[in-house]
Amino acid sequence: MASSRRCAQNARSSPGLRTARCVTFGVVWLVFSRCTWTYLQVSKDQGPAAPVEPRNAGRGGLRTASSPAELGRRAAVLGSVWPLTSHAEVVKSQSVDRAALKNGLQFPKASFGLQVYDDDTAERLTLTAIEVGYRNFFASVLAGNQKGFARAIEKSGVPRDEFFICGSVLSNLAQDFEDAYLSTKEGCTKNLEAFAAGGITELDMILLDYPAKDCETIRGQWKAFEEMLAAGQTKSLAVSNFSPEQLDCILANPDATRPVLNQLPYSLKNYDTKVVQDNAKRGVLVQAWGPLGSGSLGLSASSTCEEIGIKYGKTAAQVALRWIIDTGATFTTQSKKKEHMQEDLDIFDFQLTNEEVLQLSDISNSVGGRLSAAADIVVPAGGALGGALLLSSFLDSFDKKGDEDDGALRASLKKEEEEKKAQAKKKKTEEEEEEDDGAL
């Protein structure tokens, strides 16, 4: 990051100046953190500033916005996400809502994703997840335990047609079309060989873990996937970590099979207002990985989720997962504890009001919310210095997130930061010309 490089350069040219600056930033950060925490505690004690929308208001009970800009902001969060009425008809099964994928398959909105552990652990945890009620499973090749998962499916005694099973292929390092095609085809074969350990001969979905380097190589990956689909070895094709532009590499061919799902980092900690909308425009459903922010949503979001959860008798984690559902996405989660598996699945007996969805979205997308989420990890590890670097790095990346409502502020910050970087680069060049290389 630019700030880190500047600090490193100052250490070589002027240690005293660097120390003074870092101490100053550290003090400012500590004061800011203390004030933010105090504000959150006072707000929590005082309760919400305005009455919460009645529970029975439903999705149609959104209050009239005060301006066109406000209407646009609300539409971006609630109205322009995955169109639930036409593309995600709710079907109750195993107490889990399902979404109708573009190809007509019914997709349980909550998925259990296996992590990196051995086959025996995968088998045990899969059986526990099945007992809890999961029927949608993501068994990635990256976890390296597809055989253990498959054995659990066979031992469960649950009919195969009640499961939705997704495998994955990793071939993103391919260098050209042919290389991408062959490595992806090999990956498809390895999936089938691993799942055969549990008698699974056809998948419900196969997913590309990452896109290859450009459109040509992505099309090579996709050719192998389409052949797997044509051979009756999978019922649908999906991608992960694809940008809209990378999706268009596939969709540019009108004869290509369309991906029905894109697995992306999407949570209150990692929220982009356009993610669900951009994918929905292409007929693609978003599935969130890391739906709980890898264990930390930040102080602001966690506190608000906890307060909202009291109303429904739910935990903060359950509210955070329900927010994902209510913004038009789905999620895949994981745990080694049965009680956490149950908790993550027990979110389909309530629904957030529109105002609650907007409240959480605004926190996630605000400056304070993003600082809070980042500080929740960085500050305990780095103290005041970590906070100082966090503030600078946050400003470096601020323009990458947010919506149109604060576009002017974002553009101003970006311009200011670019000017600072240009000045720093010029200063670095001047100082390097004066430096004695022997001192490096």
Side-chain angles (χ1 to χ4, degrees), residues 374-405:
D376 203 28
I377 297 176
V378 176
V379 173
L385 178 58
L389 295 178
L390 170 67
L391 283 171
S392 183
S393 63
F394 170 77
L395 290 174
D396 285 343
S397 62
F398 180 78
D399 60 291
K400 296 180 181 178
K401 292 183 132 332
D403 55 23
E404 296 177 358
D405 291 344

Side-chain angles (χ1 to χ4, degrees), residues 263-384:
Q263 197 181 89
L264 294 165
Y266 182 76
S267 68
L268 282 171
K269 184 178 178 179
N270 197 342
Y271 173 50
D272 184 337
T273 58
K274 295 183 178 180
V275 164
V276 174
Q277 182 180 0
D278 286 343
N279 279 269
K281 287 178 180 177
R282 294 164 172 80
V284 178
L285 178 66
V286 170
Q287 184 183 54
W289 61 258
L292 295 177
S294 298
S296 176
L297 295 173
L299 293 175
S300 297
S302 294
S303 177
T304 304
C305 285
E306 184 178 352
E307 291 175 3
I308 292 174
I310 293 173
K311 172 182 174 182
Y312 300 104
K314 299 293 182 180
T315 66
Q318 288 173 317
V319 171
L321 292 175
R322 186 68 222 190
W323 173 85
I324 291 174
I325 299 297
D326 289 341
T327 54
T330 65
F331 64 85
T332 181
T333 187
Q334 63 87 23
S335 178
K336 292 184 178 180
K337 297 183 178 180
K338 183 177 181 179
E339 59 269 27
H340 289 168
M341 294 182 190
Q342 293 172 324
E343 180 182 341
D344 292 349
L345 200 60
D346 187 23
I347 65 163
F348 295 99
D349 58 352
F350 79 108
Q351 182 178 356
L352 300 176
T353 65
N354 290 331
E355 291 303 321
E356 289 164 346
V357 171
L358 288 167
Q359 180 185 8
L360 289 169
S361 300
D362 286 345
I363 290 174
S364 176
N365 207 38
S366 68
V367 174
R370 289 177 223 159
L371 279 172
S372 175
D376 203 28
I377 297 176
V378 176
V379 173

Side-chain angles (χ1 to χ4, degrees), residues 93-111:
S93 177
Q94 302 293 342
S95 300
V96 178
D97 291 353
R98 298 189 175 209
L101 298 177
K102 199 68 175 177
N103 62 354
L105 288 179
Q106 295 296 317
F107 184 77
K109 295 182 180 181
S111 162

